[in-house]
Amino acid sequence: MVTQITSFGRSGLYDWMMQRVSAITLSLYTVFIIGYLLLNPDLTYDQWSALYEATWMRVFSLMVLLSIGVHSWIGLWSISTDYIKATGARFFFQSICGLAMFVYIVWGIQVIWGL
């Protein structure tokens, strides 16, 4: 039996909801970026920089970064509990995934906020 100790949420329903909310956030960001690129065909560095200097865009980008972390953790946790039956191997895989996501999120925060 697989325990919920490494699951993101409190229950399967909570994980399912977080997966859907993060997917919607990622979709909205993708649509926004594609729309921005289509509406600004002669985009310059200054325009792109001004977009990402706006606080609302930094917050939106941070939400997307955290959504990527949540979405990928839940997905990888589900895959690892379904397909990796050995507890040690599953723990190792989940530890590597968790460490990679932590590094990417910290790095992303530094990039977005210029820390």
Side-chain angles (χ1 to χ4, degrees):
M1 178 173 154
V2 176
T3 61
Q4 295 288 337
I5 197 160
T6 56
S7 176
F8 184 78
R10 299 174 294 239
S11 67
L13 178 62
Y14 185 77
D15 285 350
W16 183 86
M17 283 298 294
M18 292 300 294
Q19 190 84 351
R20 295 325 176 258
V21 169
S22 64
I24 290 169
T25 305
L26 295 170
S27 299
L28 291 173
Y29 193 79
T30 301
V31 168
F32 172 78
I33 293 296
I34 290 171
Y36 188 82
L37 292 172
L38 290 175
L39 294 173
N40 296 290
D42 297 325
L43 188 64
T44 64
Y45 174 78
D46 292 332
Q47 290 173 309
W48 191 252
S49 182
L51 174 66
Y52 278 90
E53 284 178 8
T55 303
W56 68 268
M57 187 62 181
R58 287 183 178 190
V59 170
F60 192 22
S61 297
L62 180 61
M63 285 175 44
V64 168
L65 182 64
L66 296 175
S67 291
I68 289 170
V70 168
H71 196 89
S72 60
W73 176 255
I74 293 170
L76 289 169
W77 180 85
S78 297
I79 289 169
S80 67
T81 55
D82 286 346
Y83 296 107
I84 304 174
K85 298 301 179 190
T87 305
R90 185 175 57 243
F91 179 76
F92 179 74
F93 175 78
Q94 290 174 349
S95 297
I96 295 298
C97 291
L99 178 64
M101 279 180 264
F102 174 77
V103 169
Y104 290 144
I105 287 172
V106 169
W107 185 23
I109 290 170
Q110 289 176 338
V111 169
I112 291 169
W113 292 97
L115 301 175

